[in-house]
Amino acid sequence: MWPSSARRSSITEATRGSGWRAASYGGGIPLVSAGVDRRIDAIVPDIAWHHLLSSLYKDQTFKSGWINALVGAGEASSFGSGLGGDPAGVQMGDQDPHIRDAFTNGTATGTVPPEDVKWFESRGPGALVHKIRIPTLLTQGTADTLFTLREAIENYTILRKNHVPVKMLWFCGGHGVCLTKAGKAGHLQKDTLAWFDRYLKRNRRVNTGPRFEWVDQTGAWRFGGDYPLRYGASLTGLGTGTLALSPGQTSGAAIAAGPAATAVSIPIDRPSRTVRIVGTPGFALSYSGTAAPGVTRLFAQLVDPASGLVLGNQVTPIPVTLDGHPHTIRRPLEPVAFSAAAGTQLKLQVIAGTNVYAPQRSSGLVSLSRVAVRLPVVR
């Protein structure tokens, strides 16, 4: 599900400095450390995050698929390590009570208590990224449904604004499963070594490549001078529909969104030539309906009918209030990287539930009077 280095952290020392590469949860360590410790000269946070709330509790929506896996693994490892070796006897594990409380409440109700939200809000890189001043290579997975591309984009944007030497690379992998072609092996490692050669060994002859690189679903590596890229005319979709809600409706797998059998599907413009769809799609929904409970979630995802896959395995929660009155909501969808050949027909699905976040909890009916989506196309 993640690279073999996901649970490792490595510190590289060169003649003139020290650098740090770490992945997954460990990827947050160099980000935090670089924000407070000036002894580090260069970092490569891999499949890391910016904020735990945006990754695990987006729009106050409990990401049950990954949280179930993470809490289960944490409980097993902490309990197992407490079975022996402690003079006080058997220990019951060392997960913080806030983790268990958030998990229990989130599983039962779909929401996390405010005191637990504050606890998670205080953990992770977050505001410390503003204090980083050293060269940073951000590597993130296009198929990562735990720490999505949005987390790397947030960190990249902050570092660019502060004029920090920074590069961002999107590869097929991360926390999740790569269901498309991953491209030539070794690309990620080559860029990492080049980064350390340039900024640790101070070898100015080393070319670290374009500031932004990504791999598309064909396995082809693409590049741009910066992010966001320069965009041209968008691909758009517009439609309507009705969606019946019932408890338990869901789709996809716990760590990868999949096409839903029941959905409001909106066709998206077919491109007249091959185009690169790279970045954050825009989404707007006008709706009305009634349900019990009245506050619930819909979910939006982009589907490629030709492959039968959701783009990047990504799905976005859409909070709705079904009180009989009309409402409008706008949200950015999770970022994607996709090359669409001429005539490609993509679709937007608005669905009632997903295993990545949660099955539907309400019963009712929602009328979608206007569903609009806009895909960013590289100029």
Side-chain angles (χ1 to χ4, degrees):
M1 291 188 291
W2 45 60
S4 59
S5 60
R7 296 183 182 180
R8 293 202 307 269
S9 172
S10 61
I11 299 177
T12 301
E13 293 189 4
T15 304
R16 300 183 182 177
S18 61
W20 202 335
R21 179 188 183 275
S24 189
Y25 183 81
I29 299 175
L31 286 169
V32 170
S33 300
V36 298
D37 192 335
R38 294 296 177 254
R39 293 174 296 176
I40 305 169
D41 297 282
I43 57 174
V44 182
D46 179 40
I47 55 174
W49 77 100
H50 175 74
H51 205 295
L52 288 177
L53 293 183
S54 58
S55 59
L56 294 174
Y57 197 45
K58 186 183 295 292
D59 249 323
Q60 297 184 329
T61 308
F62 191 70
K63 190 177 280 187
S64 61
W66 270 111
I67 294 175
N68 287 343
L70 293 171
V71 171
E75 287 285 1
S77 61
S78 61
F79 178 73
S81 63
L83 291 179
D86 193 302
V90 173
Q91 304 299 301
M92 293 306 293
D94 57 359
Q95 283 194 348
D96 191 283
H98 285 285
I99 296 176
R100 293 194 182 95
D101 189 57
F103 172 73
T104 301
N105 282 278
T107 302
T109 68
T111 60
V112 175
E115 58 271 21
D116 296 324
V117 169
K118 291 180 180 179
W119 185 85
F120 281 102
E121 192 171 25
S122 67
R123 266 70 183 171
L128 283 175
V129 178
H130 290 273
K131 298 183 179 182
I132 295 175
R133 295 295 180 268
I134 60 173
T136 302
L137 169 61
L138 301 164
T139 58
Q140 206 78 12
T142 57
D144 195 320
T145 53
L146 174 60
F147 300 147
T148 69
L149 294 173
R150 168 55 53 190
E151 302 298 310
I153 291 172
E154 187 70 22
N155 290 331
Y156 179 90
T157 302
I158 293 170
L159 295 174
R160 279 291 284 140
K161 183 178 180 181
N162 290 337
H163 307 290
V164 175
V166 61
K167 174 174 178 170
M168 182 166 61
L169 185 150
W170 295 354
F171 66 97
C172 189
H175 304 89
V177 54
C178 178
L179 299 176
T180 58
K181 295 181 180 179
K184 185 177 180 180
H187 189 94
L188 185 65
Q189 292 77 6
K190 181 180 177 181
D191 273 29
T192 299
L193 291 174
W195 195 257
F196 284 142
D197 282 344
R198 171 64 183 86
Y199 292 109
L200 291 187
K201 293 183 178 180
R202 309 291 200 271
N203 187 349
R204 295 181 180 274
R205 293 174 298 177
V206 173
N207 181 6
T208 59
R211 196 183 297 276
F212 173 50
E213 297 183 52
W214 75 93
V215 69
D216 65 16
Q217 82 283 2
T218 70
W221 281 95
R222 314 288 180 183
F223 61 87
D226 203 352
Y227 186 90
L229 297 161
R230 298 179 64 188
Y231 296 112
S234 303
L235 294 179
T236 61
L238 187 66
T240 63
T242 301
L243 195 60
L245 307 181
S246 59
Q249 284 175 293
T250 192
S251 62
I255 61 172
T262 301
V264 172
S265 292
I266 308 298
I268 297 171
D269 298 337
R270 297 175 185 264
S272 59
R273 56 180 177 80
T274 297
V275 297
R276 318 292 179 207
I277 301 167
V278 184
T280 304
F283 172 83
L285 175 66
S286 296
Y287 68 93
S288 62
T290 56
V295 176
T296 187
R297 299 290 185 273
L298 303 180
F299 300 88
Q301 57 188 19
L302 297 166
V303 176
D304 174 21
S307 65
L309 298 175
V310 170
L311 269 59
N313 308 331
Q314 302 292 341
V315 61
T316 305
I318 310 296
V320 294
T321 301
L322 302 179
D323 56 3
H325 299 291
H327 299 274
T328 296
I329 184 171
R330 293 177 175 83
R331 285 293 186 275
L333 301 185
E334 292 289 1
V336 295
F338 185 86
S339 293
T344 297
Q345 177 71 83
L346 298 178
K347 292 186 177 182
L348 170 78
Q349 280 195 336
V350 180
I351 60 178
T354 169
N355 285 315
V356 174
Y357 280 92
Q360 180 58 235
R361 293 176 178 271
S362 294
S363 296
L365 187 71
V366 55
S367 174
L368 312 181
S369 56
R370 184 178 186 273
V371 185
V373 64
R374 184 179 296 273
L375 306 187
V377 174
V378 178
R379 184 177 299 178

